[in-house]
């Protein structure tokens, strides 16, 4: 523009007109920028108009609570009773079939979001309480017979009268899951002494393996994809067993690297040796050094089992040889093997990874700049994530056994910006005081009425750690936009996942008894419209379930008003230190039935 303005031969009148236009342009740009900040929003961004904010002055936005209009939400259609927005089978045909891409997360666009309340199935009852729920649940709560009919010979579950019963059977454990895990413990002594604390079960079925391990002090994330009929994850959560919707396909699983002490696959039909072993590379990434990978089913024990697998012994031998070759190239060693179970161990010696530096070696080291813990919509890569050699207490045998590790500041606390061992210890003490106060506000916390719990925006897992002696488990969620503290959660012996609360969580409706929120709206309100976060909370909360919402005084009234539109009953309480800048909202979701069925 400067060059053009200085162009010779320009007439004075034209210069004056250009200057006037330029000044007008600047003024209009400034005005549009100001108005845009008020009236416009990016995708999923909260705005004044969207929530009916009534702001009279700049001072009011700082000192006065946010104001929202009263709102009410209609009931969704009964056909949406098991709606999972980001893994919706009705939208699968829009996505590719390659490596089952269509079963990964694909969230609906903003204009297609459901602004309605998901109804429970007709005849829904309050879930059976733990530990009885591990063995039985109400049929009407998960009214699907497909597994019962298709897997009846494998004893996954059986229907009798108004209930489903879970005898603990499975494809690879016809004698029951307890006998199967007993054999596994003989192969892995670390399962008995607290060495192994966290596990992941891929292709979990109805999560009987993870359920049995709970009694042995091992906390398992049971993982299975959304499907049209089986509702495996829904059964798991109805039983009170930790589970999440997910599949190893083209994206990394939403967990940090070097986290799980053990990974398990029991005839889960994942083609481990295909696509260059890329699925095994993901198992390697999330498994802690010294961690165990357990495989039962094909091609293990192929010499004796091949006739029952509709294949030839040559094919099974070839599959096993490929598996062995891939695992060796990733620095796994065969740890133990018996009957249908084989156990490999990930090395704790980083010298093994030097072999990956050789030219034309496969798989290579990951050196493309992708963070090892980047795991939210991050594509799988055909390379090995090498553990950081500077972390001396990362592997099994170096990290403390359970339960000592729960209250010890792990090495990885130093990787979190602004964190330290001292900060960790202060946070641990803080949450003990907070949870003690919560139990006075909500006496059912710590009883058998609360089993499935989610901490929606945890830092170090302090809330979960303070509840460790209660008959519950906690899914610790770390925002994909927050500092990466999830490795610290896993190093403590707790479980969790990355998530962006501008989207739906990877679970079925009615799967949590208690949701805990600590300043989530303060942190995320610039990105997400508040009502959509609360609608998602309503979707995943069980009828008669509770929410503990700890927020700045600025947001509490607005949250309470929207919660009323969700048919929740809420009350505002003081914090444990009576901090006027912060309040605690105690809410309960009411049980209601769809009027469209009557």
């Amino acid at each position: 523009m400067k060059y053009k303005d200085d162009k010779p031969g320009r007439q004075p009148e034209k210069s004056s007109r250009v200057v006037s236009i330029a000044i007008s342009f600047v003024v209009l740009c400034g005005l549009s920028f100001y108005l845009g900040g008020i009236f416009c929003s990016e995708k999923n961004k909260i705005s004044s108009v969207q929530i009916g904010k009534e702001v009279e002055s700049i001072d009011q936005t700082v000192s006065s609570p946010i104001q929202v209009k009263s709102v009410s939400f209609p009931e969704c259609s009964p056909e949406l009773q098991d709606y999972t927005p980001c893994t919706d089978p009705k939208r699968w045909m829009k996505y590719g079939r390659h490596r089952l891409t269509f079963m990964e997360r694909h969230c609906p666009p903003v204009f297609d979001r459901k602004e309605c309340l998901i109804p429970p199935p007709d005849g829904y009852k309050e879930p059976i309480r733990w530990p009885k729920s591990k063995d039985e649940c109400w049929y009407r709560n998960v009214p699907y017979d497909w597994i019962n009919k298709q897997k009846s010979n494998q004893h996954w579950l059986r229907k009798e009268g108004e209930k489903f019963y879970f005898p603990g059977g499975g494809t690879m454990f016809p004698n029951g899951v307890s006998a199967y895990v007993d054999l596994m413990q003989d192969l892995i002594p670390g399962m008995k002494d607290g060495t192994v604390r966290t596990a992941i079960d891929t292709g979990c079925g109805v999560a009987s393996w993870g359920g049995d391990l709970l009694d042995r002090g091992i906390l398992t994330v049971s993982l299975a994809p959304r499907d049209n009929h089986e509702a495996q994850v829904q059964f798991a959560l109805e039983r009170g067993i930790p589970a999440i919707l997910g599949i190893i396909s083209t994206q990394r699983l939403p967990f940090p690297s070097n986290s799980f002490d053990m990974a398990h696959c029991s005839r889960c039909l994942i083609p481990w040796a295909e696509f260059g072993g890329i699925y095994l590379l993901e198992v390697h990434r999330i498994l802690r050094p010294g961690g165990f990978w357990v495989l039962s089913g094909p091609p293990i024990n192929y010499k004796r089992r091949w006739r029952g697998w509709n294949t030839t012994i040559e094919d099974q031998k070839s599959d096993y040889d490929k598996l062995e070759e891939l695992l060796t190239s990733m620095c796994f060693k065969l740890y133990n093997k018996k009957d249908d179970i084989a156990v490999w161990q990930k090395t704790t010696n980083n010298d093994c990874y030097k072999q990956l530096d050789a030219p034309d070696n496969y798989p290579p080291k990951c050196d493309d700049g992708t963070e090892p813990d980047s795991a939210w919509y991050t594509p799988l890569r055909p390379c090995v994530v090498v553990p950081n050699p500077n972390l001396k207490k990362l592997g099994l045998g170096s990290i403390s056994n359970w339960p000592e590790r729960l209250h010890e500041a792990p090495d990885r606390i130093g990787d979190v910006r602004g964190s330290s061992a001292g900060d960790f210890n202060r946070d641990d003490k803080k949450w003990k005081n907070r949870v003690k106060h919560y139990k006075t506000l909500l006496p059912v916390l710590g009883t058998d009425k609360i089993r499935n719990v989610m901490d929606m925006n945890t830092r170090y897992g302090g809330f979960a750690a303070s509840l460790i002696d209660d008959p519950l488990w906690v899914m610790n969620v770390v925002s994909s936009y927050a500092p990466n503290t999830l490795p610290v959660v896993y190093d403590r012996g707790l479980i969790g996942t990355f998530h962006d609360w501008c989207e739906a969580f990877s679970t079925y409706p009615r799967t949590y008894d208690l949701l805990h929120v600590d300043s989530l709206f303060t942190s995320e309100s610039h990105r997400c419209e508040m009502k959509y976060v609360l609608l998602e909370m309503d979707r995943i909360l069980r009828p008669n379930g509770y929410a503990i919402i700890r927020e700045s005084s600025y947001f509490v009234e607005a949250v309470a008003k929207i919660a009323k539109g969700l048919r929740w009953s809420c009350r505002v309480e003081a914090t444990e230190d009576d901090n006027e800048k912060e309040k605690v909202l105690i809410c309960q979701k009411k049980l209601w039935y769809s009027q469209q069925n009557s």
Side-chain angles (χ1 to χ4, degrees):
M1 291 295 294
K2 184 177 180 182
Y3 176 81
K4 289 182 179 178
D5 288 348
D6 292 338
K7 191 172 168 182
R10 187 181 53 189
Q11 297 180 359
E13 293 82 7
K14 187 175 181 181
S15 173
S16 176
R17 187 165 59 252
V18 169
V19 170
S20 299
I21 291 172
I23 293 172
S24 299
F25 180 78
V26 170
V27 171
L28 287 172
C29 284
L31 182 61
S32 65
F33 179 81
Y34 172 74
L35 293 174
I38 298 176
F39 294 107
C40 299
S41 65
E42 298 170 2
K43 179 183 178 183
N44 296 338
K45 191 172 181 181
I46 190 170
S47 72
S48 307
V49 173
Q50 288 171 323
I51 63 170
K53 190 189 297 184
E54 299 171 359
V55 180
E56 295 179 358
S57 69
I58 295 176
D59 290 338
Q60 184 182 4
T61 64
V62 175
S63 59
S64 302
I66 188 174
Q67 299 294 313
V68 301
K69 296 177 181 178
S70 296
V71 62
S72 62
F73 299 97
E75 297 175 10
C76 298
S77 167
E79 67 182 15
L80 293 176
Q81 66 185 28
D82 290 320
Y83 181 53
T84 53
C86 296
T87 49
D88 184 4
K90 292 181 179 179
R91 302 176 69 241
W92 281 352
M93 295 303 293
K94 297 181 178 181
Y95 306 105
R97 315 296 291 182
H98 176 66
R99 285 167 47 185
L100 303 180
T101 304
F102 65 95
M103 300 185 91
E104 292 185 302
R105 287 179 59 88
H106 302 285
C107 298
V110 176
F111 64 81
D112 197 28
R113 283 183 169 181
K114 309 296 183 187
E115 295 189 31
C116 54
L117 306 181
I118 304 293
D122 187 34
Y124 178 89
K125 298 181 180 181
E126 281 198 36
I128 294 169
R129 302 300 177 194
W130 182 268
K132 193 176 180 181
S133 64
K134 188 172 76 169
D135 300 319
E136 59 186 69
C137 76
W138 296 112
Y139 166 72
R140 292 306 316 170
N141 289 12
V142 194
Y144 302 107
D145 283 332
W146 192 89
I147 293 182
N148 182 44
K149 294 174 181 176
Q150 296 295 321
K151 303 290 185 179
S152 58
N153 63 323
Q154 296 169 16
H155 309 292
W156 283 23
L157 75 167
R158 68 176 186 274
K159 183 177 179 291
E160 291 183 7
E162 295 185 341
K163 291 182 179 179
F164 278 124
Y165 292 89
F166 302 91
T171 309
M172 294 310 301
F173 30 95
N175 297 322
V177 67
S178 291
Y180 175 79
V181 177
D182 286 343
L183 174 58
M184 198 175 296
Q185 282 190 331
D186 292 339
L187 299 177
I188 310 173
M191 292 176 66
K192 301 177 183 179
D193 62 7
T195 300
V196 174
R197 165 61 182 172
T198 58
I200 182 169
D201 187 16
T202 55
C204 65
V206 293
S208 292
W209 187 76
D212 186 85
L213 288 177
L214 288 171
D215 294 333
R216 305 174 194 241
I218 298 175
L219 192 57
T220 303
V221 176
S222 293
L223 183 78
R226 175 68 156 96
D227 46 52
N228 272 322
H229 307 290
E230 296 183 33
Q232 298 170 85
V233 165
Q234 193 172 21
F235 275 115
L237 289 159
E238 187 69 19
R239 298 174 70 186
I241 300 170
I244 192 171
L245 287 167
I247 184 173
I248 307 179
S249 178
T250 67
Q251 307 285 334
R252 282 180 173 178
L253 296 176
F255 312 115
S257 63
N258 307 303
S259 295
F260 292 97
D261 304 333
M262 179 166 61
H264 171 256
C265 168
S266 172
R267 197 180 172 94
C268 55
L269 305 182
I270 296 174
W272 298 110
E274 294 183 19
F275 310 111
I278 199 165
Y279 304 140
L280 278 175
L281 286 164
E282 178 63 357
V283 170
H284 179 279
R285 184 186 72 85
I286 64 175
L287 200 61
R288 187 181 301 279
F292 300 98
W293 188 59
V294 183
L295 179 65
S296 66
I300 309 303
N301 203 12
Y302 67 88
K303 293 180 181 178
R304 190 165 63 90
R305 288 281 196 177
W306 67 271
R307 287 184 178 85
W309 292 339
N310 292 326
T311 184
T312 66
I313 190 170
E314 290 79 15
D315 288 340
Q316 287 298 314
K317 182 181 186 304
S318 175
D319 288 345
Y320 185 82
D321 290 344
K322 289 178 184 176
L323 191 65
E324 277 274 88
E325 182 180 356
L326 279 167
L327 287 165
T328 301
S329 71
M330 298 174 194
C331 294
F332 281 98
K333 288 186 177 180
L334 185 64
Y335 182 81
N336 219 332
K337 183 180 176 183
K338 186 176 181 181
D339 298 334
D340 297 321
I341 302 176
V343 181
W344 283 269
Q345 186 175 31
K346 179 178 173 178
T347 186
T348 56
N349 183 358
N350 273 33
D351 289 343
C352 174
Y353 297 109
K354 293 178 181 178
Q355 66 179 339
L356 305 182
D357 293 327
D360 301 323
N361 198 49
Y362 185 86
K365 289 181 183 178
C366 290
D367 59 358
D368 58 0
T370 302
E371 291 291 332
D373 293 343
S374 176
W376 188 247
Y377 294 122
T378 302
L380 291 181
R381 285 166 167 76
C383 56
V384 176
V385 174
V386 178
N388 185 346
N390 296 324
L391 296 172
K392 304 301 182 184
K393 294 185 178 180
L394 182 61
L396 289 185
S398 299
I399 196 169
S400 296
N401 285 4
W402 179 261
E404 288 77 17
R405 62 197 273 192
L406 180 64
H407 297 292
E408 292 181 359
D411 273 8
R412 287 197 277 187
I413 193 78
D415 290 342
V416 182
R417 191 172 184 177
S419 297
S420 64
D423 184 52
F424 174 92
N425 293 328
R426 287 189 293 272
D427 185 82
D428 204 31
K429 183 179 179 180
K430 175 183 74 176
W431 278 106
K432 288 177 182 177
N433 292 332
R434 286 185 173 186
V435 167
K436 183 178 179 181
H437 180 61
Y438 288 167
K439 288 185 175 180
T440 65
L441 303 179
L442 190 63
V444 296
L445 182 58
T447 72
D448 65 358
K449 291 186 177 181
I450 303 291
R451 174 61 187 171
N452 301 353
V453 179
M454 181 186 290
D455 192 1
M456 292 176 60
N457 60 325
T458 192
R459 192 178 183 199
Y460 303 138
F463 174 73
S466 298
L467 292 167
I468 202 66
D469 294 325
D470 294 331
L472 54 80
W473 57 271
V474 179
M475 181 63 71
N476 293 281
V477 180
V478 171
S479 170
S480 58
Y481 283 82
N484 178 26
T485 58
L486 197 53
V488 175
V489 172
Y490 274 93
D491 288 349
R492 299 185 76 171
L494 304 171
I495 57 173
T497 180
F498 294 117
H499 184 64
D500 177 2
W501 282 111
C502 294
E503 301 180 358
F505 193 77
S506 297
T507 191
Y508 284 87
R510 303 173 302 279
T511 45
Y512 283 86
D513 299 304
L514 174 68
L515 302 177
H516 174 256
V517 174
D518 178 24
S519 303
L520 176 66
F521 298 105
T522 300
S523 302
E524 303 287 324
S525 63
H526 66 292
R527 296 193 310 108
C528 310
E529 190 172 350
M530 190 185 306
K531 69 176 179 181
Y532 287 120
V533 179
L534 285 160
L535 278 165
E536 176 60 7
M537 291 172 66
D538 182 79
R539 185 185 74 87
I540 65 180
L541 193 61
R542 284 172 167 173
N544 292 329
Y546 298 90
I548 301 176
I549 302 173
R550 188 185 189 102
E551 267 298 343
S552 67
S553 301
Y554 180 70
F555 281 103
V556 164
E557 290 183 16
V559 172
K561 190 169 286 188
I562 297 174
K564 185 177 180 180
L566 298 172
R567 308 183 190 183
W568 293 9
S569 59
C570 298
R571 69 180 193 274
V572 179
E573 299 282 359
T575 61
E576 64 286 341
D577 56 359
D578 207 19
N579 183 353
E580 283 300 318
K581 295 181 179 180
E582 200 174 39
K583 298 293 181 183
V584 178
L585 200 63
I586 304 293
C587 298
Q588 184 175 25
K589 175 182 174 178
K590 296 178 181 178
L591 171 60
W592 54 271
Y593 296 99
S594 175
Q595 298 300 311
Q596 299 178 43
N597 284 331
S598 56

